[in-house]
Amino acid sequence: VIFEVLPQVCRKVLGWESVYLFNCHYIVKQPKSDVSFGWHRDGEEQLGMWFNPHTSQIASAWCALDPMSGENGSLTIRPYPTSFEGKEREDIVIEIGVGDCVLLSSNVWHMSGPNLTSIPRRVAYAQYSSAPLTVPPHKPPPSPSPSCSENTKPKPNKGINRVD
């Protein structure tokens, strides 16, 4: 899925000629966990500190490994614009089943709340770009947050994987 299906989706849905996998991780929210991710856009909060996000289009694939609901900390997106025809638009909680995926542009505001259920909530998360991402020569890699332990400090990507 990560190396064949999702790159094909990026090509067809987003119209990209080339697709590069640059990040993939597994997110687990333990039962009755307070872990949440606040409102952010990947292009600014996560990618902007490492790469020059303006050199490429970026998309994230959020793939459910368990059923997703607001109760277990599913993805929530904020529509843009936030109002339409004079009416406020509400945030949308993504409720999907096992194996379903959500493809997000890097400029979509999203978050996820805590897992209030008694079972873990798991997601496979892959990020793609339409061209290789580069660290601008004048921009040093960021320092890890003081709250990071030595085992959880972010590590620079040693290479870019083109997926054809």
Side-chain angles (χ1 to χ4, degrees), residues 8 31 50 72 86 109 114 119 125 128 136 151 157 159 164:
Q8 289 176 16
W50 285 100
N72 71 358
W109 283 99
I119 58 173
Y125 190 72
Y128 301 92
N151 294 329
N157 188 353
D164 284 324

Side-chain angles (χ1 to χ4, degrees), residues 31-86:
K32 307 290 183 188
S33 167
D34 289 337
V35 173
S36 63
F37 298 93
W39 287 106
H40 67 280
R41 298 189 293 186
D42 291 345
E44 295 171 357
E45 295 293 324
Q46 295 155 336
L47 305 176
M49 67 180 171
W50 285 100
F51 302 109
N52 183 354
H54 305 293
T55 61
S56 172
Q57 294 179 352
I58 298 165
S60 301
W62 200 83
C63 304
L65 301 176
D66 296 301
M68 300 292 148
S69 69
E71 189 178 5
N72 71 358
S74 185
L75 187 67
T76 300
I77 61 172
R78 178 156 289 159
Y80 181 83
T82 55
S83 63
F84 182 71
E85 295 182 351

Side-chain angles (χ1 to χ4, degrees), residues 10-158:
C10 289
R11 281 188 197 90
K12 288 180 182 175
V13 173
L14 303 173
W16 295 357
E17 290 183 27
S18 297
V19 177
Y20 296 81
L21 173 66
F22 67 88
N23 181 28
C24 185
H25 55 273
Y26 183 68
I27 302 169
V28 179
K29 286 190 180 177
Q30 294 299 328
K32 307 290 183 188
S33 167
D34 289 337
V35 173
S36 63
F37 298 93
W39 287 106
H40 67 280
R41 298 189 293 186
D42 291 345
E44 295 171 357
E45 295 293 324
Q46 295 155 336
L47 305 176
M49 67 180 171
W50 285 100
F51 302 109
N52 183 354
H54 305 293
T55 61
S56 172
Q57 294 179 352
I58 298 165
S60 301
W62 200 83
C63 304
L65 301 176
D66 296 301
M68 300 292 148
S69 69
E71 189 178 5
N72 71 358
S74 185
L75 187 67
T76 300
I77 61 172
R78 178 156 289 159
Y80 181 83
T82 55
S83 63
F84 182 71
E85 295 182 351
K87 295 180 182 177
E88 252 337 272
R89 295 169 65 177
E90 294 184 17
D91 297 336
I92 301 166
V93 176
I94 305 297
E95 296 194 351
I96 57 177
V98 175
D100 291 338
C101 292
V102 176
L103 188 64
L104 296 172
S105 168
S106 62
N107 64 357
V108 172
W109 283 99
H110 60 283
M111 58 85 67
S112 66
N115 180 1
L116 305 175
T117 70
S118 59
I119 58 173
R121 193 276 279 152
R122 300 168 299 155
V123 171
Y125 190 72
Q127 293 179 302
Y128 301 92
S129 64
S130 61
L133 296 176
T134 59
V135 177
H138 64 280
K139 186 175 183 181
S143 298
S145 164
S147 63
C148 289
S149 72
E150 287 300 312
N151 294 329
T152 60
K153 287 182 182 177
K155 294 178 178 54
N157 188 353
K158 299 270 185 207

